[in-house]
Coordinates of all heavy atoms in Angstrom, one line a residue:
D139 N -0.9 14.3 6.3 CA -1.9 13.8 7.3 C -1.2 13.1 8.4 O -0.8 11.9 8.2 CB -2.9 13.0 6.6 CG -3.9 12.4 7.5 OD1 -4.0 12.7 8.7 OD2 -4.9 11.7 7.1
R140 N -1.0 13.6 9.5 CA -0.3 12.9 10.6 C -1.3 12.5 11.7 O -1.4 13.1 12.8 CB 0.8 13.8 11.2 CG 1.8 14.1 10.0 CD 3.1 14.7 10.6 NE 4.1 14.6 9.5 CZ 5.4 14.8 9.7 NH1 5.9 15.2 11.0 NH2 6.3 14.8 8.7
T141 N -2.1 11.6 11.4 CA -3.1 11.1 12.4 C -3.1 9.5 12.3 O -2.7 8.8 11.4 CB -4.6 11.6 12.0 OG1 -4.9 11.0 10.6 CG2 -4.6 13.0 11.9
A142 N -3.8 9.0 13.3 CA -4.1 7.4 13.2 C -4.8 7.0 12.1 O -4.6 5.9 11.6 CB -4.7 7.0 14.6
G143 N -5.8 7.9 11.7 CA -6.6 7.6 10.5 C -5.8 7.4 9.3 O -6.1 6.6 8.4
F144 N -4.8 8.2 9.1 CA -3.9 7.9 7.9 C -3.3 6.6 7.8 O -3.3 5.9 6.8 CB -2.7 9.0 8.0 CG -1.6 8.7 7.1 CD1 -1.7 9.0 5.8 CD2 -0.5 7.8 7.4 CE1 -0.7 8.7 4.8 CE2 0.5 7.6 6.6 CZ 0.4 7.9 5.2
W145 N -2.8 6.1 9.1 CA -2.2 4.8 9.1 C -3.3 3.7 8.9 O -3.0 2.6 8.3 CB -1.5 4.5 10.4 CG -0.2 5.3 10.4 CD1 0.1 6.4 11.3 CD2 1.0 5.1 9.6 NE1 1.4 6.8 10.9 CE2 1.9 6.1 9.9 CE3 1.2 4.2 8.6 CZ2 3.2 6.1 9.2 CZ3 2.5 4.3 7.9 CH2 3.4 5.2 8.3
M146 N -4.5 3.9 9.4 CA -5.6 2.9 9.1 C -5.8 2.8 7.7 O -5.9 1.6 7.1 CB -6.9 3.4 9.8 CG -6.7 3.4 11.4 SD -8.2 4.2 12.0 CE -7.7 4.4 13.8
R147 N -5.9 3.8 6.9 CA -6.1 3.8 5.5 C -4.9 3.2 4.9 O -5.0 2.2 4.0 CB -6.4 5.2 5.0 CG -6.3 5.2 3.4 CD -6.7 6.5 2.8 NE -8.1 6.7 2.6 CZ -8.9 7.5 3.2 NH1 -8.4 8.5 3.9 NH2 -10.2 7.7 2.9
M148 N -3.6 3.6 5.2 CA -2.5 3.1 4.5 C -2.2 1.7 4.7 O -1.9 1.0 3.7 CB -1.3 4.0 5.0 CG 0.0 3.8 4.3 SD 0.0 4.6 2.7 CE 0.0 3.1 1.6
Q149 N -2.4 1.2 6.0 CA -2.2 -0.2 6.1 C -3.4 -1.1 5.6 O -3.1 -2.3 5.3 CB -2.0 -0.4 7.7 CG -0.8 0.1 8.2 CD 0.4 -0.3 7.2 OE1 0.7 -1.5 7.1 NE2 1.0 0.7 6.6
A150 N -4.5 -0.6 5.5 CA -5.5 -1.3 4.7 C -5.2 -1.5 3.2 O -5.3 -2.6 2.7 CB -6.9 -0.7 4.9
I151 N -4.7 -0.4 2.7 CA -4.3 -0.4 1.3 C -3.0 -1.4 1.1 O -3.0 -2.2 0.2 CB -3.9 1.0 0.7 CG1 -5.2 1.8 0.7 CG2 -3.3 0.9 -0.6 CD1 -5.0 3.2 0.5
E152 N -2.0 -1.2 2.0 CA -0.9 -2.1 1.9 C -1.1 -3.5 2.1 O -0.6 -4.4 1.4 CB 0.2 -1.6 2.8 CG 1.6 -2.3 2.6 CD 2.7 -1.5 3.3 OE1 2.5 -0.5 3.9 OE2 3.9 -2.1 3.1
A153 N -2.0 -3.8 3.0 CA -2.4 -5.2 3.2 C -3.0 -5.8 2.0 O -2.9 -7.0 1.6 CB -3.3 -5.4 4.4
A154 N -3.9 -5.0 1.3 CA -4.6 -5.5 0.2 C -3.6 -5.7 -1.1 O -3.6 -6.7 -1.8 CB -5.7 -4.5 -0.3
V155 N -2.7 -4.8 -1.2 CA -1.6 -4.9 -2.2 C -0.8 -6.2 -2.0 O -0.6 -7.0 -2.9 CB -0.8 -3.7 -2.3 CG1 0.4 -3.9 -3.2 CG2 -1.6 -2.5 -2.9
H156 N -0.4 -6.4 -0.7 CA 0.5 -7.5 -0.5 C -0.2 -8.8 -0.4 O 0.4 -9.9 -0.7 CB 1.4 -7.3 0.8 CG 2.5 -6.2 0.6 ND1 3.1 -6.1 -0.7 CD2 2.9 -5.1 1.3 CE1 4.0 -5.1 -0.5 NE2 3.8 -4.4 0.6
R157 N -1.5 -8.9 -0.1 CA -2.3 -10.0 -0.2 C -2.4 -10.4 -1.7 O -2.2 -11.5 -2.0 CB -3.7 -9.7 0.3 CG -4.7 -10.8 0.4 CD -5.5 -11.0 -0.9 NE -6.2 -9.9 -1.2 CZ -6.8 -9.7 -2.4 NH1 -6.6 -10.5 -3.4 NH2 -7.5 -8.5 -2.6
W158 N -2.6 -9.5 -2.6 CA -2.5 -9.7 -4.1 C -1.2 -10.3 -4.4 O -1.2 -11.3 -5.1 CB -2.8 -8.6 -4.8 CG -3.1 -8.7 -6.3 CD1 -4.3 -8.9 -7.0 CD2 -2.1 -8.8 -7.2 NE1 -4.1 -9.1 -8.3 CE2 -2.7 -9.0 -8.5 CE3 -0.7 -8.6 -7.3 CZ2 -2.2 -9.1 -9.7 CZ3 -0.1 -8.8 -8.5 CH2 -0.7 -9.1 -9.7
D159 N -0.1 -9.7 -4.0 CA 1.2 -10.2 -4.3 C 1.4 -11.7 -3.9 O 1.9 -12.6 -4.6 CB 2.3 -9.4 -3.5 CG 2.4 -8.0 -4.0 OD1 2.2 -7.8 -5.2 OD2 2.8 -7.2 -3.2
A160 N 1.0 -12.0 -2.6 CA 1.1 -13.4 -2.2 C 0.3 -14.3 -2.9 O 0.6 -15.4 -3.3 CB 0.8 -13.5 -0.7
E161 N -1.0 -13.9 -3.2 CA -1.8 -14.8 -3.9 C -1.4 -15.0 -5.3 O -1.4 -16.1 -5.9 CB -3.3 -14.2 -4.0 CG -4.0 -14.3 -2.6 CD -5.4 -13.7 -2.7 OE1 -5.8 -13.1 -3.6 OE2 -6.2 -14.1 -1.6
N162 N -0.8 -14.1 -5.9 CA -0.3 -14.1 -7.3 C 0.9 -15.0 -7.3 O 1.1 -15.9 -8.2 CB 0.2 -12.7 -7.8 CG 0.6 -12.7 -9.3 OD1 -0.1 -13.2 -10.1 ND2 1.7 -12.1 -9.5
A163 N 1.8 -15.0 -6.2 CA 2.8 -16.0 -6.2 C 2.4 -17.4 -5.9 O 3.0 -18.3 -6.4 CB 3.8 -15.6 -4.9
A164 N 1.2 -17.5 -5.3 CA 0.7 -18.8 -5.0 C -0.1 -19.4 -6.2 O -0.3 -20.6 -6.3 CB -0.2 -18.8 -3.8
G165 N -0.5 -18.6 -7.2 CA -1.2 -19.0 -8.4 C -2.1 -18.0 -9.0 O -1.7 -17.2 -9.9
T166 N -3.3 -17.8 -8.3 CA -4.3 -16.9 -8.8 C -4.6 -15.9 -7.8 O -5.0 -16.3 -6.7 CB -5.5 -17.6 -9.3 OG1 -5.2 -18.5 -10.3 CG2 -6.5 -16.6 -9.8
A167 N -4.5 -14.6 -8.1 CA -4.9 -13.6 -7.1 C -6.3 -13.0 -7.4 O -6.7 -12.7 -8.5 CB -3.8 -12.4 -7.3
L168 N -7.0 -12.8 -6.3 CA -8.3 -12.2 -6.3 C -8.2 -10.6 -6.4 O -7.2 -10.2 -6.0 CB -9.2 -12.6 -5.1 CG -9.4 -14.1 -4.9 CD1 -10.2 -14.3 -3.6 CD2 -10.3 -14.6 -6.2
P169 N -9.2 -10.1 -7.1 CA -9.2 -8.6 -7.1 C -9.2 -8.0 -5.7 O -9.7 -8.6 -4.8 CB -10.4 -8.2 -7.9 CG -10.9 -9.4 -8.5 CD -10.5 -10.6 -7.7
V170 N -8.8 -6.7 -5.6 CA -9.0 -5.8 -4.4 C -10.4 -5.6 -4.3 O -11.2 -5.3 -5.3 CB -8.2 -4.7 -4.5 CG1 -8.3 -3.8 -3.2 CG2 -6.6 -5.1 -4.7
A171 N -11.0 -5.5 -3.1 CA -12.4 -5.2 -2.9 C -12.6 -3.8 -3.6 O -11.9 -2.8 -3.3 CB -12.6 -5.0 -1.3
P172 N -13.8 -3.7 -4.3 CA -14.0 -2.4 -5.1 C -13.9 -1.1 -4.3 O -13.3 -0.2 -4.7 CB -15.3 -2.7 -5.7 CG -15.5 -4.2 -5.8 CD -14.8 -4.8 -4.6
A173 N -14.6 -1.2 -3.2 CA -14.6 0.2 -2.4 C -13.3 0.6 -2.0 O -12.9 1.7 -2.0 CB -15.6 0.1 -1.3
L174 N -12.5 -0.4 -1.5 CA -11.1 -0.1 -1.0 C -10.2 0.3 -2.2 O -9.4 1.2 -2.1 CB -10.6 -1.4 -0.2 CG -9.0 -1.1 0.2 CD1 -9.0 0.1 1.3 CD2 -8.4 -2.4 0.8
A175 N -10.4 -0.4 -3.3 CA -9.6 -0.1 -4.4 C -9.9 1.3 -5.0 O -8.9 2.0 -5.3 CB -9.8 -1.1 -5.7

Side-chain angles (χ1 to χ4, degrees):
D139 179 4
R140 297 192 168 189
T141 65
F144 167 84
W145 287 112
M146 295 172 193
R147 170 178 269 123
M148 190 70 248
Q149 288 314 299
I151 293 170
E152 187 163 3
V155 170
H156 289 322
R157 184 270 302 163
W158 189 93
D159 290 330
E161 289 181 347
N162 189 48
T166 302
L168 295 175
V170 177
L174 179 63

